[in-house]
Amino acid sequence: MQGRQKTSSTPEHKGDLGAHGGALSMSHNDTRSFFNFSQLGLSTGNAKPSPVLKHSKITYFEVEILDVQSKKQICIVDKVSPSSTLLDVKHKFHKACPQWYPSRVGLQLERNGPYLKDSANIQSLAVSSIITLYFTDLGQQVSWTTFFLTEYTGPLVIYLLFYIRLSTIYDQVESKKNFRHPVVHLACFCHCLHYIRHLLETLFVHKFSGGHTPLKNMIKGCAFYWGFTSWIAYYINHPRYTPPSFGHRQVSFAALAFLMCEAGNHFINVTLAHQNHSGSKACFPSPTYNPFTWLFLLVSCPNYTYEVGSWISFTVMTQTLPVGIFALLMVIQMSLWAQKKHKLYLKRFYPEVRRKAAMIPVIF
């Protein structure tokens, strides 16, 4: 009986010791594991900096904006990241000074320097952490789309008002008595076609990239086009209008030349818009299978050539002094624009443009 009790008590005693010993060994292992894990974490932290520390090393710029006339400080735009553009600075400047919205803000590095583009990167302008820019109020601005739509809609409507011979413009008795020559109707068709083409190309062909222009420029353009349209339309639609000297042949030849120039102008504009839209700016536009684009072989600005050709043809077709004066002014203005663009093309596409004229072969 006693032997059974000893044998039965011995395992129980060993089990208790095993339980206590196991508990002690587990606690020791946990402490050691925690120590090793802590050492591993510390060594890892020393080897690689945390994202927070890395982010804190980013350098921000401060943009000091001064008035271009008085050199007085207007405001300071702080915390400008290196990846920001000048347009981002203009938006922050607008928040500080709400009376100047971004499109009317002109910023320069120097007082007499050129205006910086909105796409300019801030980091490329920085010499130190503080960037000084000069501010100029460009005045009230309008988008280029609004500019051209307003400029071209006016002549279209004004000409039609003269064409229907309003009683406030012409004498109604004289208007009903005198017969209208067919060239009067043809001139109305050609004039409307010209400006309808401009309006459609403004909406669906040309790419303006969200640019703006001062409102005063739109007023000047509208005054020029609207004023000349009124003068031209008054004479052509007048009851005492005299038809061209050479009659039907002169009108037909001039009308055909006008339509060809209008078609050529449209195809040139489509070619230029397709080139800009595709982003292929490495080479000068080359002629296609379309014969109207072959003028690229001779001049660098064929769109101006066709525009001038349209007004010269319209002058021959109607044989009126106001149209002739308008065509002469268009030749002068288009030649100045063409020469300016030709110089830019020579810098960018010298081998391809060096033997081309600007607008009219040999002359310009």
Side-chain angles (χ1 to χ4, degrees), residues 284 300 342 345-346 348-357:
F284 186 76
S300 59
H342 187 69
Y345 288 152
L346 285 175
R348 297 175 59 188
F349 316 111
Y350 175 73
E352 303 169 85
V353 186
R354 60 176 180 171
R355 295 185 179 180
K356 301 179 189 295

Side-chain angles (χ1 to χ4, degrees), residues 316-334:
V316 175
M317 181 176 62
T318 58
Q319 195 174 311
T320 53
L321 180 62
V323 183
I325 295 175
F326 182 75
L328 177 62
L329 294 177
M330 292 297 289
V331 170
I332 297 174
Q333 182 63 71
M334 294 290 174

Side-chain angles (χ1 to χ4, degrees), residues 158-185:
I158 291 172
Y159 196 97
L160 291 175
L161 292 177
F162 282 91
Y163 176 74
I164 62 178
R165 290 182 176 178
L166 296 175
S167 58
T168 55
I169 301 176
Y170 304 111
D171 180 66
Q172 289 298 308
V173 177
E174 191 175 14
S175 298
K176 294 179 180 179
K177 185 185 299 184
N178 294 339
F179 173 75
R180 288 196 186 191
H181 193 274
V183 70
V184 175
H185 304 291

Side-chain angles (χ1 to χ4, degrees), residues 40-50:
L40 179 62
L42 290 174
S43 62
T44 305
N46 294 331
K48 295 182 180 179
S50 62

Side-chain angles (χ1 to χ4, degrees), residues 19-325:
H20 289 291
L24 291 174
S25 62
M26 287 295 293
S27 61
H28 179 70
N29 291 335
D30 290 343
T31 305
R32 188 173 183 180
S33 300
F34 178 77
F35 177 78
N36 293 335
F37 181 78
S38 301
Q39 291 296 328
L40 179 62
L42 290 174
S43 62
T44 305
N46 294 331
K48 295 182 180 179
S50 62
V52 178
L53 292 176
K54 186 177 181 181
H55 180 72
S56 64
K57 293 182 179 180
I58 296 178
T59 303
Y60 290 94
F61 295 101
E62 288 186 358
V63 180
E64 181 186 24
I65 299 179
L66 309 179
D67 183 76
V68 71
Q69 299 295 336
S70 62
K71 294 185 179 180
K72 292 182 179 179
Q73 185 185 97
I74 300 176
C75 74
I76 293 180
V77 180
D78 57 354
K79 294 184 179 180
V80 179
S81 64
S83 60
S84 300
T85 62
L86 198 68
L87 183 60
D88 299 328
V89 174
K90 288 184 178 181
H91 282 291
K92 292 185 177 182
F93 177 64
H94 174 57
K95 290 182 179 179
C97 304
Q99 67 270 28
W100 293 308
Y101 50 90
S103 61
R104 70 182 294 171
V105 174
L107 297 177
Q108 305 159 273
L109 275 175
E110 300 176 358
R111 295 183 66 188
N112 297 325
Y115 292 113
L116 300 172
K117 295 182 179 180
D118 290 345
S119 59
N121 186 269
I122 289 298
Q123 194 169 14
S124 63
L125 306 175
V127 179
S128 63
S129 60
I130 300 177
I131 305 172
T132 302
L133 298 177
Y134 294 95
F135 161 75
T136 301
D137 185 6
L138 300 178
Q140 190 171 356
Q141 304 286 301
V142 294
S143 65
W144 281 109
T145 302
T146 303
F147 176 90
F148 288 114
L149 290 179
T150 305
E151 191 176 68
Y152 296 143
T153 302
L156 181 63
V157 175
I158 291 172
Y159 196 97
L160 291 175
L161 292 177
F162 282 91
Y163 176 74
I164 62 178
R165 290 182 176 178
L166 296 175
S167 58
T168 55
I169 301 176
Y170 304 111
D171 180 66
Q172 289 298 308
V173 177
E174 191 175 14
S175 298
K176 294 179 180 179
K177 185 185 299 184
N178 294 339
F179 173 75
R180 288 196 186 191
H181 193 274
V183 70
V184 175
H185 304 291
L186 182 61
C188 180
F189 170 78
C190 291
H191 191 275
C192 292
L193 176 66
H194 177 78
Y195 285 102
I196 289 175
R197 178 184 63 80
H198 274 302
L199 290 172
L200 293 177
E201 288 178 353
T202 300
L203 293 173
F204 304 109
V205 177
H206 298 301
K207 308 295 180 182
F208 300 109
S209 66
H212 294 80
T213 185
L215 178 63
K216 61 182 180 180
N217 289 348
M218 188 180 75
I219 296 175
K220 291 179 182 179
C222 290
F224 177 78
Y225 280 97
W226 295 16
F228 262 102
T229 299
S230 302
W231 192 23
I232 291 170
Y234 176 81
Y235 276 91
I236 295 178
N237 296 286
H238 198 280
R240 297 184 182 180
Y241 168 73
T242 303
S245 304
F246 296 96
H248 180 71
R249 289 184 179 180
Q250 179 178 343
V251 173
S252 300
F253 173 79
L256 181 60
F258 177 87
L259 294 176
M260 291 181 63
C261 288
E262 287 295 303
N265 202 341
H266 172 69
F267 289 121
I268 292 296
N269 288 333
V270 170
T271 303
L272 293 173
H274 178 72
Q275 179 211 16
N276 294 334
H277 182 67
S278 62
S280 177
K281 299 181 181 180
C283 59
F284 186 76
S286 57
T288 63
Y289 61 89
N290 190 335
F292 289 102
T293 63
W294 294 351
L295 199 56
F296 272 121
L297 297 172
L298 302 176
V299 297
S300 59
C301 303
N303 51 331
Y304 294 151
T305 307
Y306 282 122
E307 183 75 14
V308 167
S310 294
W311 286 111
I312 293 176
S313 303
F314 195 78
T315 303
V316 175
M317 181 176 62
T318 58
Q319 195 174 311
T320 53
L321 180 62
V323 183
I325 295 175

